[in-house]
Amino acid sequence: MKKLLLVLLTLTVQISFSQAKEFYKDAVNDCIVSPSKDAAMLNDIVENCVKGKYVSNYDFTTIDGKVISTDKVDKPILLIVAATWCAPCWGEIPALNKMVEKYNGQMEFVMLFWDQKKGAERMAKKLDKRIQLVASSEENSDKSTVTINGFIHKLDYPTAYLISKDKQIINFKRGAASPSKKMGWDEVNKINEKQLEEFLKPVLQ
């Protein structure tokens, strides 16, 4: 009898927990109606609609034909959304490659592109081969939005979602440094490496 009660209690807790989960896919469209107008409310959007939400299963097909199902990844995921026309996306590449070198095996690195396959392949030449690259299947006319296999992104580029092993978004960041007349590659890499190291800490401790 005691064993039966324990099983029932465990099931009740599990059901309650699953019902309490809030999913990113259910929040993103309601929270971010017009990305350009909503930018002023970015902090509120991130705290209320992104962080703490869970990701559903997404089947992403990489540019070399491999299928990555998020539910089957048994480690944290760094999910980056990029576009080839975005200068900071290029600027972040050396630092990102360094993170892959340091933490490959501890995390899965996935990059979603606003661009279709041809554009993604252009950036792929600079990226570590262990990053899973997923291109948009259709041409995007709206630069503020990417939709790939059900995953919707509306918050600029590059954007990083840090997803825990249990598929919860526990960290989120936008932007990166890029070279300019005032800042060379050495400084850019130093800034981006520091930001990425801090960003990844929650899943590496």
Side-chain angles (χ1 to χ4, degrees), residues 158-172:
T159 290
Y161 299 80
L162 186 62
I163 302 167
S164 67
K165 284 202 299 185
D166 65 353
K167 306 304 178 282
Q168 186 178 34
I169 300 171
I170 56 175
N171 216 350
F172 176 91

Side-chain angles (χ1 to χ4, degrees), residues 6 10 23 69 140 144 176 190 199:
L6 182 60
T10 302
F23 287 87
S69 297
N140 289 305
S144 66
K190 188 175 180 180
F199 183 74

Side-chain angles (χ1 to χ4, degrees), residues 9-61:
L9 180 61
T10 302
L11 286 171
T12 302
V13 170
Q14 289 176 343
I15 291 168
S16 298
F17 179 72
S18 64
Q19 289 175 339
K21 280 187 178 181
E22 293 183 62
F23 287 87
Y24 171 76
K25 69 178 179 64
D26 297 326
V28 62
N29 277 327
D30 290 336
C31 287
I32 311 168
V33 178
S34 173
S36 57
K37 292 180 182 177
D38 291 342
M41 301 171 62
L42 177 62
N43 289 338
D44 287 340
I45 288 171
V46 171
E47 293 301 325
N48 298 322
C49 308
V50 180
K51 281 187 178 180
K53 300 298 184 289
Y54 288 81
V55 295
S56 307
N57 182 57
Y58 297 101
D59 294 321
F60 295 128
T61 302

Side-chain angles (χ1 to χ4, degrees), residues 41-98:
M41 301 171 62
L42 177 62
N43 289 338
D44 287 340
I45 288 171
V46 171
E47 293 301 325
N48 298 322
C49 308
V50 180
K51 281 187 178 180
K53 300 298 184 289
Y54 288 81
V55 295
S56 307
N57 182 57
Y58 297 101
D59 294 321
F60 295 128
T61 302
T62 67
I63 60 173
D64 56 3
K66 181 181 177 182
V67 176
I68 304 291
S69 297
T70 53
D71 272 2
K72 294 181 180 177
V73 177
D74 60 359
K75 60 187 77 169
I77 301 170
L78 177 63
L79 181 67
I80 296 174
V81 188
T84 58
W85 44 261
C86 153
C89 295
W90 290 94
E92 191 176 43
I93 287 175
L96 178 58
N97 286 344
K98 193 164 187 177

Side-chain angles (χ1 to χ4, degrees), residues 6 13 32 40 114 122 151 183-184:
L6 182 60
V13 170
I32 311 168
W114 179 90
R122 188 161 64 92
F151 185 88
M183 187 162 51

Side-chain angles (χ1 to χ4, degrees), residues 60 68 77-81 108-112 131-132 134:
F60 295 128
I68 304 291
I77 301 170
L78 177 63
L79 181 67
I80 296 174
V81 188
E108 188 76 46
F109 294 85
V110 180
M111 182 177 282
L112 307 184
I131 303 172
Q132 308 293 341
V134 181

